[in-house]
Amino acid sequence: MSGRFSKRALLLGSCLVAVVGAAVPGTANAAEQENLPPVVQDLKTGSKDCATGDTQAYVSSPPVLAARLTDPVEDDRIGYPDQLSAEFEIWWSDATGAEQRRSFTTSPMYQDSIHRFQVPSDIPADTDIFWHVRANDGKANSAWSSEAPGAACRFMHDDQNPAAPVVSSPEYPEETLRVGGVGVYGSFTMDSPSPDVVDYVYSFIDGTHGTVRPVEPGGPATIRFAPLSTAPQTLRVQARDRSGRTSWPADYTFFPKAPSAPVSRWRLADEAGSTTAAADAGQAARVGRGVTFGGPVPSGTPLTSTAVLDGSGHGYLTTDAAAVDSGRTFGVGAWVRPAETGRDMTVLSQDTASGTAYALGLDGAQDATATWTFTLGGAKVSGGAPEAGEWAYLLGIYDTETGYAQLFVNGHEVGTKATAAPVAADGAFQIGRIRGTNGYRQRWHGEIGDVRTYDRLVVPQEVTELGGRRPALLGHWSFSTASDGITPENNGGSPLRLGPGASIYGTPDNSCHVDIDPDCTWKPYPLVGEGHLALDGETGHAVLDAPVVDTGDSFTLGVVVSIQDADATRPMTVLSQAGEHTDVFKLRYEPSTYAWQLIMPERDEAGAPETVVSQITMPSGSSGNGTPLAIVYDDATDTVKLYADGYTNAGATAHLRNGWTGTGPLQVGRAGAAEGWVEYLKGDVDEIQAFAGALGDDEIIGLGHETDPCLCV
């Protein structure tokens, strides 16, 4: 038995033992059993385990020594547990060779406690110091922890910080303008003159950081780094010795050059009938008979023309040499639009003597969804969702420093980056086909434009710019004036026709004063600017003569709307655009959920499943002056978002796999072109803005004003 008992219990226990002892001769009293010595374990020198023999713990300051003490529990022992104390002893040889010893005994504590001893601050530096410990339970001492099979613990106090390292780089000399280049790796070597340095702690101003160890203590260490912008870069390095002491930081500043141009580039904007494709860089490409120049381009890009490949054995372009050294870091990209997705097709590839070094292409949808692909040797990255007739910018990047291959579609990384080994390019470069065991195959059917290869990293800003499409303003209606039932588009485009029950509400004359004119009544100002569209909720509407946006591609619509709280008693539509059988989209207020809703059917079919997103706000707006709403459909990412007051959220965002084109005109204030007009709006509308392309979050906040937002790629 063990534990804490009262004196009465101890006396009663003694009596019971005595009685039993009298009845059974030969039974020993527990109090007479031999005491077992305590045990010492878990020795620590500061935060480090006990180092013995040839190993040694290096410490940056006099350490706290620690040991856990336990006491074996003797069978049938009755009484309080023993309290244990620890006796620590340290020793060393001073400069004359004389041995110096110090000892310390801790206060008694119950067993299984950690006992500690702070080593005095006057111990010598750079000297081997040994220590051991033993335990005492008030009756007996344990053996010293240094007695066999144990050994004395050993440490050395280091009281000097290492010297700051010297940093150098052949590619990026210090304080030198326009060196190296964005996306180009350079070697940075750090070397401290202190012989006991075991690692270097480094950080770049862009947030990249880490620790690197030299091959031998005190030696240099080298890291590789590629700057991601032309901004001045500062590398900060500290040397750290074996005791954990660090040097003063060494700062190394350099100024990268602008990113280099592609090493090969074919715009594929050649004259119709050309038999070669001109190269801005690299070698001109021979053109097969299945290639036609003068193809369409993705809107919102600098492209002026593309090449159309017919998918036949003659639909290809090729060079006599490699487009880029794929044995090192490289990137390859192009704008593409597949005419089909039911079979494997190759956008571009690089021949080797026995096969293919890398390829960018499409895995067809046979029993699954089609995906974009980037292959390098035996590694493959797959992701994204190709659609026939839909533009995409593909970019494959291989980084020899990390060993990863990555795939980007429309400026966004897709799939999971894959570990790959570099494959040297020693053959021809192919556009529109890939080399197989029995000749070329996987012929591309569709458009290809602006093929580029890079001999460096393509950095994130470039990835976004290459795959971005600048939205284009299609129309802006501010409802400031109307003439003969027509309100103009701000820039001279197609006007909106006002139906019965629709009128322009202009700036009122609030110059009267109630103290002068008792009939004076203050009237509200327009939602924005000098006027807005007022709709009566019965027949009031406005209509454009054509669709305002191509809903099968990316688009953005903005509007400011206000419904008086007393009128918000039924569903009312703000904007809609019709297909043949149903509205392709409908922006409405739903009073049952106190929310603005965007409804987009999945196909042009009555009763088709609908994608619905919503935003909860007051119908008259958070400030009573209307709510700026915006619809954004991004065909590249297959997402639709509804914004209110410039912001969206998870409940207002949804996946929309295939947008379809509604050919009906834009309707303001009503819905139901295919089924009959319904959901007439009783309220006010202002600042309708329409864009081809998807505006970003930071651009949406600029909608709802008489001026248009600054649009960036």
Side-chain angles (χ1 to χ4, degrees):
M1 296 178 66
S2 64
R4 187 186 296 269
F5 298 88
S6 67
K7 289 185 178 181
R8 182 175 180 182
L10 288 171
L11 291 172
L12 179 58
S14 299
C15 293
L16 288 174
V17 172
V19 171
V20 173
V24 187
T27 301
N29 190 306
E32 298 173 355
Q33 289 185 2
E34 181 181 357
N35 178 62
L36 298 178
V39 177
V40 175
Q41 55 190 355
D42 299 340
L43 277 61
K44 292 277 189 180
T45 304
S47 61
K48 301 178 179 180
D49 291 334
C50 169
T52 61
D54 294 334
T55 61
Q56 184 158 263
Y58 291 90
V59 295
S60 59
S61 60
V64 173
L65 309 181
R68 182 183 298 278
L69 274 54
T70 60
D71 196 16
V73 179
E74 289 80 11
D75 292 340
D76 300 321
R77 177 175 298 175
I78 299 175
Y80 294 105
D82 290 335
Q83 288 194 325
L84 309 176
S85 61
E87 182 181 0
F88 290 89
E89 187 174 53
I90 64 173
W91 68 96
W92 67 90
S93 296
D94 64 17
T96 66
E99 184 179 86
Q100 303 294 324
R101 284 186 178 265
R102 304 280 178 85
S103 64
F104 175 79
T105 300
T106 64
S107 299
M109 293 190 293
Y110 289 114
Q111 72 160 335
D112 203 25
S113 296
I114 296 176
H115 293 245
R116 295 178 175 86
F117 165 49
Q118 172 64 63
V119 173
S121 60
D122 61 350
I123 60 171
D126 302 320
T127 301
D128 282 328
I129 299 178
F130 301 87
W131 69 276
H132 58 192
V133 62
R134 64 181 178 182
N136 182 277
D137 63 3
K139 305 179 185 68
N141 288 321
S142 70
W144 285 105
S145 59
S146 57
E147 294 181 27
C153 300
R154 179 183 178 189
F155 70 89
M156 180 177 289
H157 172 214
D158 184 353
D159 65 350
Q160 296 295 318
N161 292 335
V166 175
V167 182
S168 61
S169 172
E171 296 87 359
Y172 294 94
E174 187 176 18
E175 299 292 350
T176 303
L177 294 176
R178 306 295 175 254
V179 292
V182 170
V184 176
Y185 276 100
S187 295
F188 295 82
T189 299
M190 45 207 77
D191 190 4
S192 170
S194 299
D196 59 346
V197 168
V198 294
D199 60 30
Y200 297 91
V201 181
Y202 67 89
S203 63
F204 287 87
I205 199 170
D206 71 350
T208 302
H209 64 280
T211 301
V212 61
R213 299 179 67 88
V215 176
E216 298 289 341
T222 300
I223 60 171
R224 300 274 289 168
F225 173 76
L228 303 182
S229 74
T230 57
Q233 299 283 333
T234 298
L235 167 61
R236 170 163 288 190
V237 184
Q238 288 180 281
R240 185 163 54 191
D241 65 20
R242 54 198 174 187
S243 72
R245 285 182 172 270
T246 56
S247 69
W248 283 103
D251 288 343
Y252 184 90
T253 301
F254 56 98
F255 303 88
K257 284 194 301 189
S260 60
V263 292
S264 296
R265 183 181 182 185
W266 300 269
R267 295 180 186 270
L268 303 185
D270 303 86
E271 294 291 333
S274 296
T275 57
T276 59
D280 288 16
Q283 188 181 85
R286 298 190 306 277
V287 179
R289 296 195 306 273
V291 177
T292 303
F293 290 111
V297 301
S299 62
T301 69
L303 275 66
T304 59
S305 180
T306 59
V308 183
L309 282 65
D310 64 5
S312 72
H314 301 290
Y316 68 89
L317 299 92
T318 186
T319 66
D320 293 325
V324 66
D325 181 0
S326 56
R328 304 173 63 183
T329 295
F330 74 97
V332 290
W335 277 102
V336 300
R337 185 169 73 165
E340 56 181 299
T341 60
R343 63 181 179 87
D344 296 349
M345 296 195 295
T346 297
V347 176
L348 54 86
S349 66
Q350 174 63 55
D351 291 352
T352 67
S354 57
T356 301
Y358 61 85
L360 200 60
L362 177 156
D363 274 1
Q366 298 166 355
D367 298 324
T369 303
T371 59
W372 299 113
T373 62
F374 176 47
T375 59
L376 178 63
K380 185 175 186 178
V381 185
S382 301
E387 295 180 29
E390 181 178 294
W391 286 104
Y393 187 79
L394 307 184
L395 178 65
I397 298 176
Y398 176 62
D399 185 344
T400 54
E401 302 296 331
T402 64
Y404 286 124
Q406 295 173 276
L407 174 62
F408 297 83
V409 177
N410 298 319
H412 303 277
E413 185 174 6
V414 298
T416 302
K417 60 185 178 183
T419 302
V423 182
D426 54 7
F429 181 69
Q430 306 292 337
I431 300 175
R433 65 183 184 177
I434 190 172
R435 185 175 184 178
T437 54
N438 298 313
Y440 291 101
R441 56 193 179 89
Q442 295 184 9
R443 314 282 181 162
W444 180 262
H445 184 199
E447 289 83 16
I448 300 178
D450 199 10
V451 176
R452 306 182 185 206
T453 68
Y454 296 86
D455 62 352
R456 57 175 176 81
L457 288 180
V458 183
V459 299
Q461 181 179 349
E462 292 177 298
V463 171
T464 300
E465 292 172 351
L466 287 169
R469 298 171 65 178
R470 181 189 292 273
L473 180 67
L474 301 175
H476 185 176
W477 296 267
S478 290
F479 302 104
S480 297
T481 62
S483 176
D484 298 327
I486 299 294
T487 186
E489 194 274 329
N490 292 8
N491 301 304
S494 299
L496 281 164
R497 290 185 289 108
L498 306 186
S503 61
I504 300 300
Y505 176 85
T507 303
D509 181 5
N510 284 325
S511 60
C512 64
H513 297 279
V514 68
D515 54 348
I516 300 175
D517 181 0
D519 296 325
C520 178
T521 302
W522 184 89
K523 298 178 182 178
Y525 287 94
L527 296 179
V528 181
E530 297 179 358
H532 65 232
L533 176 66
L535 301 173
D536 66 0
E538 296 179 0
T539 59
H541 69 281
V543 63
L544 200 63
D545 289 334
V548 66
V549 291
D550 178 3
T551 53
D553 203 349
S554 299
F555 71 89
T556 300
L557 279 170
V559 64
V560 179
V561 60
S562 177
I563 302 172
Q564 294 303 308
D565 295 347
D567 296 328
T569 58
R570 57 180 175 83
M572 290 183 278
T573 293
V574 182
L575 301 175
S576 68
Q577 184 169 306
E580 183 178 354
H581 303 290
T582 189
D583 291 324
V584 65
F585 72 80
K586 183 164 58 176
L587 177 61
R588 67 200 288 260
Y589 184 76
E590 174 52 67
S592 65
T593 56
Y594 306 98
W596 297 103
Q597 286 184 338
L598 170 62
I599 301 175
M600 298 186 72
E602 294 182 6
R603 52 186 177 271
D604 190 5
E605 181 181 296
E610 297 175 331
T611 296
V612 181
V613 293
S614 60
Q615 287 263 33
I616 298 175
T617 67
M618 295 292 292
S620 58
S622 57
S623 61
N625 296 319
T627 302
L629 300 174
I631 304 166
V632 177
Y633 171 58
D634 190 341
D635 193 33
T637 59
D638 292 331
T639 56
V640 62
K641 299 179 180 180
L642 175 61
Y643 293 77
D645 293 314
Y647 300 96
T648 188
N649 54 53
T653 303
H655 179 77
L656 188 65
R657 178 71 173 86
N658 291 310
W660 53 277
T661 299
T663 56
L666 174 71
Q667 300 285 338
V668 183
R670 65 182 182 177
E675 304 91 351
W677 300 116
V678 294
E679 296 188 357
Y680 279 92
L681 173 69
K682 185 175 184 181
D684 304 321
V685 176
D686 209 350
E687 304 303 333
I688 295 177
Q689 293 162 282
F691 300 85
L695 268 64
D697 291 349
D698 54 344
E699 296 165 330
I700 291 295
I701 201 73
L703 298 180
H705 306 285
E706 289 187 306
T707 57
D708 295 310
C710 175
L711 302 180
C712 305
V713 174

